[in-house]
Amino acid sequence: MDELSHWIDGARVGGTSGRFADVYNPATGEVQAKLPLATAKELDHAVARAAEAQRGWAATNPQRRARVMMAFGRLLNENMDRLAEVISREHGKTLPDARGDVQRGLEVVEVCMGAPHFLKGEFTDDGGPGIDLYSMRQPLGVVAGITPFNFPAMIPLWKMAPALASGNAMILKPSERTPGCAMMLAELIKEAGLPDGVLQVVNGDKEVVDAILDNDTVQAVGFVGSTPIAQYIYGRAATNGKRAQCFGGAKNHMIVMPDADMDKAADALVGAGYGAAGERCMAISVAVPVGRETADALTDKLTSRIEKLKVGPYTAGEDVDFGPLITSQARDRVRGLIDRGVEEGAELVVDGRDFRMQGYEDGFFIGPSLFDHVTPEMEIYREEIFGPVLTQVRAASYEEALKLVMDNEYGNGTAIYTADGDVARDFAHNVNVGMVGINFPIPVPLSYHTFGGWKKSAFGDLNQYGPDAFRFYTKTKTVTERWFSGIKDGGEFNFKAMD
Ligand code: NAD
């Protein structure tokens, strides 16, 4: 069995704590590696070394730093299949999905090739007599990225690329369930020219996260994960005087209006609800058909499509629709929530609880489920299920559907399917959710926009990637200056002084 390591000062380094986490292959249920869990002392050492390395990196001009991003981008492209294989083996997602995970992270690296543009400051000429003002963006120092299991390439890249391109050093703490990809990213960015120590990968659990939050040298924390942990990290980081942006969980609704193209809406719901086994923060987990006829038609179309979904291990070929859940606990939790939905009176139209994957009986598989007649009081509506379960809440009108979305405590993504531009525009304008799709089920913004939810889906300020990321990972300094020699008060040029 493999024993994994940390990445410190440009090399793999074993752990000293004697504590390890099991890393599973979710398709087989086997433990495939042991991951060392760092102590606070190991973290403090990694931070101190990063602080030393950061000084030289910050003094490297932005264009040179951008060239490291260019080389890194090329290497990510060349190693796409290798990275995808590691992601699929640890996470269970299909290979096309794993390649998409790398691709969406790579797109953020590509935008960071334009770091000099994002980092250039502002200038006011003659703000007063002979007075100029300029502002510059300076790196924060050592920053930390704490990431979830479900996008082992994309989210670490969302954190690393803008932080490093801005001249910071980063402590990356990947999920202990899918750590392999982060180590490969560290190796590739070293090959691309990043100096040793500027990126440190420290593996661990709560102990190391708390050590990050309490370390005085760490200036900022970028977190992505579940809402309770996001809220905890935001609170502790802010109390300790750090800049923090913490992105949390989601419950994303898709409204289907009576005038929508019902086949397209059903296709979209199946892809967005069951893709990656529902383990996406932008998955659609609630369908909201408007009107009884819409709901009945949608249920029929969804049911026939769901029955054709192919569940399997990533090794079974590219036509597999989704794989297992991340752990046996995650699978049991999802099964328990489905049981609860039945007890609470929702109609279980498709039941995936008893699905068994032949030849992979110990894997963490569960089949797709569909609930109809769900109400907002039910646990399956209130909880983020994070599994292949789509729930349908019927609404009598657009206003009722909109109110449902607005009243939900999460606000990551949402979508509407309609042929009516007025309704779509009203929805986009009024809904209190950060990312909105119009006839588009998973509206993850492209990498030169920014990504972020509202309400309990995000704590702190500014979004991830795009221009916001450069703002988050830098602080602004503004200089007001004037020069006395050769200038008369009042701003006229003193020609005599030139003689
Ligand atoms: P998680 O909250 O369990 O873990 C995220 C990170 O926090 C991991 O690195 C983990 O080691 C650490 N952590 C876990 N428990 C901790 C504790 N008690 N104290 C300190 N640190 C702790 O999340 P997950 O299960 O890995 O990921 C799934 C969640 O992430 C879902 O809720 C999903 O919606 C969310 N997510 C959100 C976004 C977004 O951008 N909003 C993107 C992807 C995933």
Side-chain angles (χ1 to χ4, degrees):
M1 184 183 307
D2 287 348
E3 189 170 315
L4 303 176
S5 45
H6 308 295
W7 178 265
I8 308 293
D9 297 343
R12 287 177 184 254
V13 173
T16 61
S17 69
R19 288 200 310 126
F20 292 88
D22 290 335
V23 180
Y24 286 87
N25 176 338
T28 62
E30 286 163 7
V31 177
Q32 52 169 316
K34 294 259 173 218
L35 180 75
L37 302 173
T39 60
K41 199 166 159 219
E42 286 171 297
L43 182 273
D44 290 343
H45 169 75
V47 172
R49 302 286 298 167
E52 284 169 32
Q54 191 264 340
R55 284 193 280 277
W57 179 239
T60 305
N61 75 53
Q63 201 144 14
R64 281 176 186 264
R65 295 200 300 256
R67 278 186 207 129
V68 172
M69 290 297 144
M70 282 182 216
F72 185 39
R74 181 176 48 75
L75 288 168
L76 288 173
N77 233 325
E78 287 170 10
N79 288 277
M80 178 91 64
D81 289 340
R82 218 161 58 84
L83 288 157
E85 170 80 26
V86 170
I87 293 170
S88 292
R89 200 167 60 228
E90 289 183 353
H91 176 286
K93 63 174 79 175
T94 65
L95 282 170
D97 217 9
R99 284 194 286 271
D101 189 333
V102 182
Q103 177 63 30
R104 295 309 295 257
L106 168 60
E107 287 164 15
V108 169
V109 174
E110 285 167 351
V111 168
C112 291
M113 296 173 192
H117 168 71
F118 288 111
L119 295 172
K120 68 183 193 287
E122 294 177 327
F123 185 79
T124 296
D125 175 41
D126 249 359
I131 298 172
D132 301 328
L133 288 91
Y134 63 92
S135 61
M136 50 184 136
R137 295 200 161 275
Q138 295 191 323
L140 302 177
V142 180
V143 299
I146 302 168
T147 56
F149 80 84
N150 66 329
F151 283 99
M154 181 182 84
I155 296 180
L157 288 168
W158 285 4
K159 301 289 167 209
M160 308 162 42
L164 299 177
S166 300
N168 300 287
M170 171 161 269
I171 306 293
L172 177 64
K173 206 302 282 175
S175 168
E176 60 274 44
R177 287 175 268 169
T178 52
C181 185
M183 200 55 67
M184 291 173 72
L185 297 179
E187 284 173 347
L188 292 175
I189 201 165
K190 176 185 167 104
E191 194 181 334
L194 188 77
D196 292 347
V198 176
L199 175 73
Q200 314 273 51
V201 182
V202 182
N203 287 300
D205 54 7
K206 180 171 168 51
E207 183 174 335
V208 81
V209 171
D210 287 347
I212 289 171
L213 300 175
D214 293 344
N215 184 299
D216 288 339
T217 304
V218 174
Q219 299 296 307
V221 177
F223 170 86
V224 181
S226 58
T227 287
I229 310 297
Q231 204 160 2
Y232 162 72
I233 288 181
Y234 179 65
R236 189 151 167 175
T239 302
N240 289 341
K242 300 185 196 314
R243 198 175 273 202
Q245 53 172 207
C246 301
F247 298 91
K251 196 81 188 173
N252 305 317
H253 299 61
M254 182 169 127
I255 298 178
V256 181
M257 295 298 291
D259 61 4
D261 180 321
M262 226 38 83
D263 284 308
K264 287 202 166 67
D267 287 342
L269 276 169
V270 169
Y274 300 102
E279 290 177 323
R280 289 181 182 142
C281 68
M282 288 293 275
I284 296 285
S285 51
V286 188
V288 191
V290 172
R292 190 153 60 86
E293 275 177 31
T294 314
D296 291 344
L298 194 61
T299 310
D300 287 347
K301 287 183 188 291
L302 286 172
T303 308
S304 59
R305 283 164 172 76
I306 293 167
E307 278 160 2
K308 292 195 194 96
L309 286 175
K310 189 170 166 194
V311 182
Y314 75 94
T315 44
E318 304 254 324
D319 63 334
V320 170
D321 290 295
F322 68 85
L325 291 183
I326 184 70
T327 56
S328 59
Q329 292 90 332
R331 183 205 48 210
D332 295 346
R333 178 181 166 275
V334 172
R335 267 199 203 135
L337 280 164
I338 300 172
D339 292 344
R340 189 87 191 101
V342 174
E343 279 160 32
E344 287 188 315
E347 184 189 333
L348 186 56
V349 182
V350 181
D351 184 355
R353 284 175 293 183
D354 292 332
F355 176 86
R356 295 282 176 277
M357 187 70 220
Q358 220 186 350
Y360 293 83
E361 285 76 8
D362 294 331
F364 311 139
F365 291 95
I366 187 164
S369 294
L370 173 68
F371 273 110
D372 196 4
H373 297 286
V374 174
T375 61
E377 303 74 41
M378 293 178 181
E379 205 172 327
I380 46 168
Y381 178 77
R382 286 184 284 107
E383 284 283 311
E384 183 186 33
I385 300 177
F386 225 54
V389 182
L390 187 60
T391 57
Q392 188 159 271
V393 180
R394 295 174 172 228
S397 63
Y398 163 68
E399 288 73 21
E400 193 182 311
L402 176 63
K403 184 170 182 316
L404 184 75
V405 183
M406 303 277 285
D407 288 349
N408 193 274
E409 63 176 351
Y410 295 106
N412 216 36
T414 188
I416 188 165
Y417 267 63
T418 180
D420 186 333
D422 280 344
V423 170
R425 192 170 184 281
D426 183 87
F427 183 66
H429 189 79
N430 288 313
V431 74
N432 54 1
V433 171
M435 293 170 281
V436 180
I438 295 173
N439 297 319
F440 216 95
I442 304 193
V444 174
L446 289 173
S447 53
Y448 39 92
H449 288 262
T450 67
F451 181 109
W454 290 14
K455 298 187 275 183
K456 283 201 169 169
S457 294
F459 302 86
D461 200 5
L462 297 171
N463 279 356
Q464 311 190 76
Y465 64 75
D468 269 15
F470 286 93
R471 292 187 194 111
F472 181 74
Y473 288 115
T474 57
K475 52 196 169 193
T476 304
K477 184 183 284 173
T478 308
V479 179
T480 304
E481 68 172 16
R482 68 178 164 199
W483 300 93
F484 296 110
S485 58
I487 302 288
K488 257 178 36 183
D489 279 352
E492 284 168 41
F493 198 78
N494 184 348
F495 290 98
K496 223 167 163 209
M498 290 185 73
D499 296 336

